[in-house]
Amino acid sequence: MEVGTSVNEENGGLDQLVLESGKSPLQIAQSPSWSLTVQSITANTDKLMPVEATNVIDLAKKALSASKEAALLAEKCSDLDDVVSNSLRTTCSSDFSVEEVKTVRSTRHLERQSKTRRVPKARDVFHEPYNSRRADVQKKINEGFDPKDPLRLFLWGPETKQLLTAKEESELVAQVQDLMRLEKAKKSLQFQFGREPTLVEWADVVGLSCSALQSQLCACNISREKLITANLRMVVHIAKQYQGRGLSLQDLMQEGSMGLMKSIEKFKPQVGCRFGTYAYWWIRQTVRKAVFLHSRTIRLPENVYHILGKVMEAKRSYIQEGNHNPTKEELAKRTGITVDKLERLLFMARMPVSMQRTVWADQATTFQEITADTEIEIPDVGAAKQLMRQHVHGLLNILNLKERQIIRLRYGIEDGKPKSLSEIGNVFGLSKERVRQLESRALYKLKQCLGSHGLEAYADLLV
């Protein structure tokens, strides 16, 4: 009975090992280490068979040591099975790779390879993770964000990015027409009363109550603003075409917005076209008029602007063709004008420079400091003119009193204001012809004395 108990305990220990190893009994029985384990267990049982019944404690100790040895052997068997399984896997994978090599060398795969060679290979694209790409885009947006960008400030709302359908546009235009009708009634009342009409008077004229009139005015104003904001992108598109003509982009967009608002007042749905088609011409007209009026300090005629635009277009076309320095003859030929007219146009198109502008960027010297003042004479010239005046006064002494006075009045020697022959005749009570004769005789006398008095030296000072 004791021996049977020990054998059962050993079998229970083996069952425990089977459960701990996590393998089926069939797998453990087929493993190469199982025979060793069984032999060791049978050997231990053979040794335990002749043990006496009195040594129960020694038998239990030996059974416990045998179970421990069995557990260690089971662990070694599991490790050995793992190694064997890994080796089997590697051999299977190697066999599979060999089979793959065999299939790669088949003619069908070679045909597919030849077909793929004919197709142009796409560029290798490195797909970044979505989060990193989104972070980079957000970083670029934050770095390039300019809060003072005129386009960002002008097209700030989401309404400017939405296009209107024909139905929505017709509804908005109808409400704007109602607003124009109400404003027209108000202007007639203002002209009739000579003052601003009250809300009650305005409502009585249009046949509405005060609350209905206020609600309609609010809805019409909202529709007008929505129609304006929906067409602001067209204003920017037209304004960009006129950049570089003397006005900034902000001024051009402002003038274009004024043209857009004016087109809303002038538009009539009965014309049979979309509002954008009608507003385009008003916007362009206001922008061109602003360029014509405010782009230059000295205003030029409109036809001159038109011809200058043709000249700039011809120059731009030559640059696109590769001729970066076209001659005046080439520009005149392509524009359809003469070379002389082109030179006059370019002379008129010169931009004036401010006297307070700096000559060099790295210095504070202005044009006013280096430009000579034409009203201030050079000291040498001033002294020479003073000597000439003294000689002229001395030369007049050779004339008689009447001739001397006529010459002084005729050429403004006294007060700097020359007088006509009739005015001198009224002073002396003579006719114009007599004054002319006396003047001719006095000049003849002066010419005869020029050589003797040495006045030929002042010939360079005469203007």
Side-chain angles (χ1 to χ4, degrees):
M1 292 295 291
E2 291 176 356
V3 173
T5 304
S6 63
V7 171
N8 290 331
E9 289 177 0
E10 294 297 332
N11 293 332
L14 291 176
D15 295 335
Q16 180 83 16
L17 291 174
V18 169
L19 292 174
E20 289 179 356
S21 63
K23 295 181 180 181
S24 62
L26 181 60
Q27 290 177 353
I28 294 176
Q30 291 176 357
S31 62
S33 62
W34 174 252
S35 61
L36 297 174
T37 306
V38 172
Q39 290 176 5
S40 64
I41 292 173
T42 53
N44 291 329
T45 54
D46 293 333
K47 291 178 182 180
L48 292 175
M49 288 295 291
V51 177
E52 295 179 359
T54 59
N55 297 329
V56 177
I57 297 173
D58 295 333
L59 182 64
K61 289 181 179 179
K62 290 180 179 180
L64 180 62
S65 62
S67 64
K68 289 182 180 179
E69 290 177 0
L72 292 173
L73 288 172
E75 290 181 357
K76 292 180 180 179
C77 290
S78 64
D79 294 336
L80 183 61
D81 291 338
D82 293 336
V83 172
V84 172
S85 63
N86 291 330
S87 63
L88 290 174
R89 288 173 188 169
T90 53
T91 54
C92 292
S93 62
S94 63
D95 295 337
F96 182 72
S97 62
V98 170
E99 291 177 1
E100 279 187 346
V101 170
K102 291 180 181 179
T103 56
V104 164
R105 291 177 181 175
S106 64
T107 57
R108 292 186 61 188
H109 187 76
L110 292 175
E111 290 177 359
R112 288 196 298 270
Q113 270 191 345
S114 63
K115 290 180 180 179
T116 54
R117 288 196 193 99
R118 297 170 188 172
V119 180
K121 294 183 179 180
R123 293 181 297 177
D124 296 335
V125 181
F126 176 72
H127 298 282
E128 296 181 355
Y130 177 75
N131 294 330
S132 64
R133 185 166 65 249
R134 185 177 180 182
D136 293 340
V137 171
Q138 189 65 29
K139 184 178 179 181
K140 290 180 180 179
I141 291 173
N142 294 333
E143 289 178 355
F145 178 76
D146 186 8
K148 296 183 180 180
D149 186 10
L151 292 179
R152 191 179 296 276
L153 295 175
F154 193 72
L155 304 174
W156 63 273
E159 298 86 359
T160 58
K161 301 177 183 179
Q162 298 176 357
L163 296 177
L164 297 176
T165 61
K167 184 178 179 181
E168 292 175 349
E169 187 178 288
S170 61
E171 292 176 357
L172 294 176
V173 169
Q175 292 184 356
V176 171
Q177 293 295 320
D178 295 339
L179 178 63
M180 299 300 297
R181 181 176 58 83
L182 294 175
E183 290 181 352
K184 185 178 180 180
K186 184 179 179 180
K187 288 181 180 179
S188 63
L189 287 176
Q190 186 176 0
F191 179 76
Q192 182 180 355
F193 298 149
R195 58 178 174 80
E196 190 76 15
T198 61
L199 186 62
V200 178
E201 295 173 348
W202 191 5
D204 291 338
V205 170
V206 296
L208 298 173
S209 62
C210 294
S211 59
L213 178 61
Q214 289 179 347
S215 61
Q216 188 173 358
L217 287 174
C218 182
C220 292
N221 286 322
I222 292 174
S223 300
R224 185 173 182 271
E225 291 179 0
K226 188 174 181 180
L227 188 61
I228 290 173
T229 53
N231 291 276
L232 287 180
R233 288 191 299 170
M234 182 168 59
V235 174
V236 175
H237 172 70
I238 298 173
K240 284 183 176 180
Q241 297 177 3
Y242 291 88
Q243 281 185 296
R245 298 194 182 186
L247 290 180
S248 62
L249 182 60
Q250 295 92 321
D251 295 335
L252 294 173
M253 291 189 297
Q254 181 179 359
E255 295 293 336
S257 302
M258 294 172 64
L260 176 62
M261 291 186 284
K262 192 173 182 181
S263 66
I264 292 176
E265 299 175 0
K266 299 289 184 179
F267 180 67
K268 296 180 180 179
Q270 297 82 10
V271 295
C273 67
R274 294 287 296 270
F275 172 74
T277 306
Y278 181 80
Y280 181 88
W281 299 95
W282 280 96
I283 297 170
R284 194 177 73 167
Q285 182 196 17
T286 52
V287 170
R288 291 179 65 180
K289 189 175 181 180
V291 171
F292 167 66
L293 293 177
H294 307 295
S295 62
R296 296 178 57 87
T297 306
I298 302 172
R299 191 185 305 171
L300 295 177
E302 189 173 0
N303 61 339
V304 175
Y305 269 108
H306 182 65
I307 301 174
L308 284 174
K310 288 185 178 181
V311 173
M312 297 304 296
E313 185 66 27
K315 187 174 181 180
R316 194 179 299 112
S317 63
Y318 272 116
I319 292 174
Q320 291 176 356
E321 293 173 1
N323 187 5
H324 296 279
N325 295 314
T327 61
K328 293 181 180 179
E329 290 77 8
E330 294 175 346
L331 292 175
K333 184 179 180 180
R334 180 161 294 189
T335 310
I337 58 177
T338 61
V339 179
D340 296 337
K341 189 174 182 179
L342 178 62
E343 291 178 350
R344 290 197 302 270
L345 286 173
L346 296 177
F347 181 79
M348 288 188 292
R350 294 181 304 168
M351 294 297 293
V353 180
S354 175
M355 297 294 291
Q356 302 300 326
R357 181 179 174 183
T358 57
V359 183
W360 298 280
D362 56 344
Q363 297 182 9
T365 306
T366 60
F367 283 100
Q368 185 178 2
E369 297 176 359
I370 64 172
T371 304
D373 190 356
T374 56
E375 296 181 358
I376 299 176
E377 295 180 350
I378 302 175
D380 298 341
V381 177
K385 287 185 177 181
Q386 187 65 27
L387 291 174
M388 184 180 68
R389 292 190 190 97
Q390 293 178 3
H391 286 182
V392 169
H393 282 290
L395 183 62
L396 292 178
N397 293 328
I398 64 173
L399 303 175
N400 55 36
L401 181 60
K402 185 177 290 188
E403 292 175 349
R404 190 184 310 125
Q405 291 178 350
I406 289 173
I407 294 297
R408 287 176 179 275
L409 295 173
R410 180 61 173 164
Y411 295 99
I413 296 176
E414 296 295 338
D415 53 0
K417 296 179 180 179
K419 292 181 172 54
S420 62
L421 296 176
S422 59
E423 291 176 350
I424 297 172
N426 294 332
V427 172
F428 292 101
L430 300 174
S431 62
K432 293 171 56 177
E433 180 62 23
R434 183 56 184 167
V435 174
R436 188 190 65 79
Q437 292 175 0
L438 293 173
E439 180 190 0
S440 300
R441 187 172 64 183
L443 291 175
Y444 180 76
K445 290 180 180 179
L446 291 175
K447 288 180 183 179
Q448 296 295 327
C449 300
L450 286 178
S452 60
H453 287 77
L455 294 177
E456 295 178 355
Y458 304 108
D460 297 336
L461 300 177
L462 298 177
V463 179

